[in-house]
Amino acid sequence: MAITEKVRTILGWYESDNPGTKGNLVRMLMQGKLAGTGKLVILPVDQGFEHGPARSFAANPAGYDPRYHFQLAIDAGLSAYAAPLGMLEAGAAEFAGQIPTILKMNSSNSLATEKDQAVTASIADALRLGCSAIGFTIYPGSEYCFAQMEELRELAEEAKAAGLVVVVWSYPRGPLLDKAGETALDICAYAAHMAALAGAHIIKVKPPTDKLSLPAAIKVYEEQHIPRATMAERIAHVVQCCFAGRRLVVFSGGDNVKDTDSFIATIQQIADGGASGAIVGRNSFQRPRDEALAMLGRIVDIYAKA
Ligand code: FBP
């Protein structure tokens, strides 16, 4: 399929990348129902590590089977499917070539007391499994953030040399930040910017609230009247902080929201702010399959029109 002008423009943002990496970006941007639009909807299923199996899959037990998620992403016409090593190994051959995959390279878990992550896969794994991208989480603000950034540097260098795309989950947490601080606008924008600086092709952050956290930043946000009253304004600011919109920035879904209409309304506001797309895990796979497909269809429609 010929790429669209929109996809060509996006490829132009990534000036230093080799044909392999650009080809893998194209694979994601030309996949599924959003092919050619420059937008992405991704299914992430790494919550088994992050939150444990029952918290992740008991609500919809079909999700205990890794193959369920490949099929869900394919049937919903999504752009890519992201998961840790074992999940991808359990379906990589059966679904080969049907959906671009992102190998989640590091994970935390709810039993750990430290805000850190273990690297649980390699670039060789990503290539062996035919992945388009690696995914890596950093926790800006944690005591371990420098080590995490250094791990990312090494893996990103290797991934780019091998022609893979680098997706960075940038989730602020640590002693300086309470729960409200983790999603405050200045912190979210800062975390997204650091992911861009670390060389991410695709940046993944949580949708920001209208709170501000760092005293030195609050002063600037207020003096410069940076708009933040609406979700769309806040998203626009985060996107601007990622090289003036010259990086793909996708926003995560969060806990399962029972009221689908209010969840969809939030996604609409995020899209209105200029997001590159959505990466929605629990809100997808914790719903019964029919409901999940209907809801993902609504998200895809929003981005198709954005
Ligand atoms: P969700 O849509 O389920 O929030 O998934 C997005 C995600 O980034 C996952 O990849 C990750 O496991 C999870 O959020 C982390 O959530 P939290 O920070 O709430 O533990």
Side-chain angles (χ1 to χ4, degrees):
M1 194 194 291
I3 66 168
T4 58
E5 211 37 56
K6 184 73 216 176
V7 171
R8 199 180 302 284
T9 301
I10 291 170
L11 291 180
W13 300 343
Y14 299 95
E15 297 197 4
S16 68
D17 284 294
N18 65 25
T21 298
K22 290 198 179 195
N24 275 315
L25 263 178
V26 168
R27 269 169 87 187
M28 291 190 272
L29 288 165
M30 295 303 292
Q31 173 75 23
K33 294 183 181 159
L34 289 169
T37 61
K39 304 291 180 182
L40 299 163
V41 177
I42 298 169
L43 178 67
V45 190
D46 58 342
Q47 292 80 358
F49 255 137
E50 306 290 329
H51 305 143
R55 276 175 67 199
S56 302
F57 305 125
N60 175 24
Y64 283 110
D65 184 339
R67 295 169 306 165
Y68 175 83
H69 304 287
F70 280 88
Q71 198 64 62
L72 182 64
I74 293 165
D75 292 346
L78 304 192
S79 317
Y81 166 51
L85 181 66
M87 293 283 276
L88 291 189
E89 285 183 335
E94 186 175 338
F95 298 96
Q98 295 181 57
I99 179 89
T101 50
I102 301 168
L103 177 57
K104 192 68 207 312
M105 303 291 290
N106 66 340
S107 286
S108 184
N109 66 67
S110 299
L111 305 179
T113 51
E114 289 161 345
K115 304 262 181 267
D116 201 4
Q117 302 252 337
V119 176
T120 60
S122 67
I123 300 301
D125 290 322
L127 295 173
R128 170 175 62 88
L129 296 171
C131 299
S132 295
I134 62 160
F136 192 92
T137 302
I138 54 172
Y139 290 152
S142 98
E143 299 93 321
Y144 305 95
C145 69
F146 294 115
Q148 290 163 5
M149 287 177 189
E150 287 173 15
E151 282 169 355
L152 172 59
R153 187 200 66 72
E154 274 181 33
L155 287 170
E157 181 183 18
E158 220 190 309
K160 290 175 185 180
L164 296 168
V165 170
V166 176
V167 186
V168 174
W169 276 232
S170 194
Y171 283 179
R173 51 193 65 170
L176 266 189
L177 300 169
D178 57 13
K179 270 281 157 221
E182 289 178 1
T183 50
L185 177 61
D186 59 319
I187 302 295
C188 178
Y190 196 172
H193 184 69
M194 283 195 270
L197 293 176
H201 298 105
I202 302 176
I203 294 153
K204 174 187 187 221
V205 285
K206 295 187 180 183
T209 65
D210 63 358
K211 302 219 164 17
L212 297 172
S213 180
L214 281 185
I218 293 176
K219 192 164 170 284
V220 174
Y221 277 76
E222 286 175 350
E223 274 172 14
Q224 299 298 328
H225 306 291
I226 296 173
R228 64 175 204 279
T230 68
M231 178 65 91
E233 287 170 338
R234 300 193 289 272
I235 298 294
H237 176 63
V238 174
V239 170
Q240 181 182 44
C241 289
C242 294
F243 300 169
R246 289 172 65 85
R247 287 293 175 266
L248 292 159
V249 189
V250 296
F251 290 84
S252 61
D255 285 343
N256 193 343
V257 179
K258 297 284 174 242
D259 175 4
T260 306
D261 287 341
S262 72
F263 182 66
I264 291 291
T266 306
I267 298 272
Q268 179 69 62
Q269 291 158 17
I270 294 171
D272 291 344
S276 307
I279 175 158
V280 177
R282 286 163 287 180
N283 275 287
S284 307
F285 64 76
Q286 291 184 346
R287 284 174 160 70
R289 187 179 138 86
D290 287 353
E291 277 180 38
L293 285 172
M295 191 211 60
L296 286 167
R298 291 174 72 183
I299 297 177
V300 164
D301 283 349
I302 288 172
Y303 278 101
K305 290 184 195 128

